[in-house]
Amino acid sequence: MRFLLLILLILPLSAGAETVVLGLSRDRINITANFDGSEILVFGAVKREVPISDEEPLEVIVTVAGPSTPVVVRRKDKRYGIWVNNAAVEVDAAPSFYAVATSGPLEDVLLRVEDLRHKITTTRAIRSVGAPDDIRDSSKFTDALIRVRQQNGLYQLLEGVVAFDQQTLFNTSIRLPANLTEGGYTTRIFLTRGGAVVSDYEATIFVGKVGLERWLYMLSRSQPLVYGIMSITIAVLAGWGASAAFRLLRNS
């Protein structure tokens, strides 16, 4: 009985022997008229209850995920000399932005079973329940979505960019593009050893429009008629002003 109690006391200590402490350079990103993207610095440390051992070294994985929304992916085929939509698959939830940064090659720092459990890689972060019965290669639609968003800088795989000093301090930077979706961006840190996750931590960065951009955005959603009339009026006044300025320059 005493032996069992001793084991129960030791297990929590071992499970929490190494935990990750996270820091962010900012917890909010404001989108303004001249917003051309942003860069966030993710840094942290490994908190230990015991000294560093000679076991297999730790590795660090950082993920940043934007708001997830359904996406319809269409495939085009050439028919009679023109390209037409031939098939479509609706992906149930795909992050608008997703970045994975690691301290080493991904295949070395993460086991597949751990990826399945924590949904770390881009493929696992996308949720696609099913496809129409007449589509046999639905996985290709998900691959195409990932490929297109990678080309646009919205999906990123950054292997070996996490600096991990003395198995204690780590840091990395992730570039966010200009075409961000508003909402909460979930930042997760995973400590792994031998590909298995030993600790994880999560925080949220909020991205949103501010100032005049926010007011115009809310006006377009709450009062679209007023927004449309105002847009037309501004366009007419701008055209009239440009025409008047051109006439003055021509007559001078």
Side-chain angles (χ1 to χ4, degrees):
M1 186 67 179
R2 291 179 180 177
F3 178 75
L4 290 176
L5 289 175
L6 181 61
I7 292 296
L8 291 175
L9 289 174
I10 292 176
L11 282 176
L13 180 60
S14 300
E18 293 168 320
T19 57
V20 62
V21 181
L22 172 67
L24 297 170
S25 59
R26 59 177 72 182
D27 59 6
R28 184 175 184 86
I29 296 176
N30 297 325
I31 299 178
T32 58
N34 57 352
F35 180 76
D36 61 351
S38 182
E39 190 173 66
I40 59 170
L41 174 64
V42 181
F43 57 92
V46 179
K47 180 181 178 182
R48 291 184 171 84
E49 301 292 340
V50 294
I52 299 177
S53 64
D54 295 330
E55 297 181 67
E56 192 169 355
L58 290 170
E59 301 287 352
V60 179
I61 302 174
V62 178
T63 69
V64 178
S68 292
T69 56
V71 179
V72 177
V73 183
R74 304 184 188 277
R75 178 167 60 195
K76 291 182 179 293
D77 288 329
K78 198 170 186 179
R79 300 289 178 85
Y80 308 108
I82 61 174
W83 291 96
V84 296
N85 293 329
N86 182 37
V89 170
E90 181 175 1
V91 177
D92 299 271
S96 58
F97 174 85
Y98 199 75
V100 180
T102 68
S103 57
L106 184 59
E107 61 181 11
D108 295 340
V109 303
L110 182 66
L111 295 173
R112 289 187 178 181
V113 65
E114 293 294 296
D115 185 21
L116 182 63
R117 180 180 303 151
H118 297 279
K119 295 178 172 56
I120 295 174
T121 61
T122 305
T123 304
R124 296 299 181 188
I126 296 175
R127 184 165 60 88
S128 184
V129 176
D133 295 334
D134 59 335
I135 296 179
R136 305 299 180 186
D137 55 349
S138 59
S139 62
K140 291 185 178 179
F141 287 78
T142 303
D143 295 340
L145 173 64
I146 294 174
R147 184 173 61 255
V148 170
R149 292 194 169 180
Q150 283 177 337
Q151 293 171 353
N152 294 331
L154 293 173
Y155 286 175
Q156 305 173 15
L157 176 57
L158 311 169
E159 295 181 286
V161 302
V162 179
F164 199 14
D165 185 33
Q166 300 296 319
Q167 290 285 289
T168 301
L169 302 175
F170 62 86
N171 71 85
T172 189
S173 60
I174 295 177
R175 178 70 183 176
L176 303 179
N179 52 336
L180 291 179
T181 300
E182 286 190 283
Y185 283 62
T186 303
T187 303
R188 297 184 298 167
I189 308 293
F190 297 93
L191 286 182
T192 67
R193 172 177 280 119
V197 175
V198 298
S199 178
D200 63 278
Y201 189 91
E202 182 176 309
T204 302
I205 302 171
F206 294 96
V207 175
K209 296 181 177 69
V210 294
L212 179 61
E213 291 76 16
R214 181 66 179 176
W215 181 78
L216 291 173
Y217 174 81
M218 295 304 297
L219 181 65
S220 67
R221 295 296 185 272
S222 60
Q223 300 184 53
L225 179 60
V226 175
Y227 177 80
I229 294 173
M230 186 181 68
S231 299
I232 294 173
T233 302
I234 293 174
V236 170
L237 291 175
W240 177 84
S243 177
F246 179 76
R247 285 197 303 268
L248 288 174
L249 289 173
R250 186 177 59 182
N251 295 331
S252 61

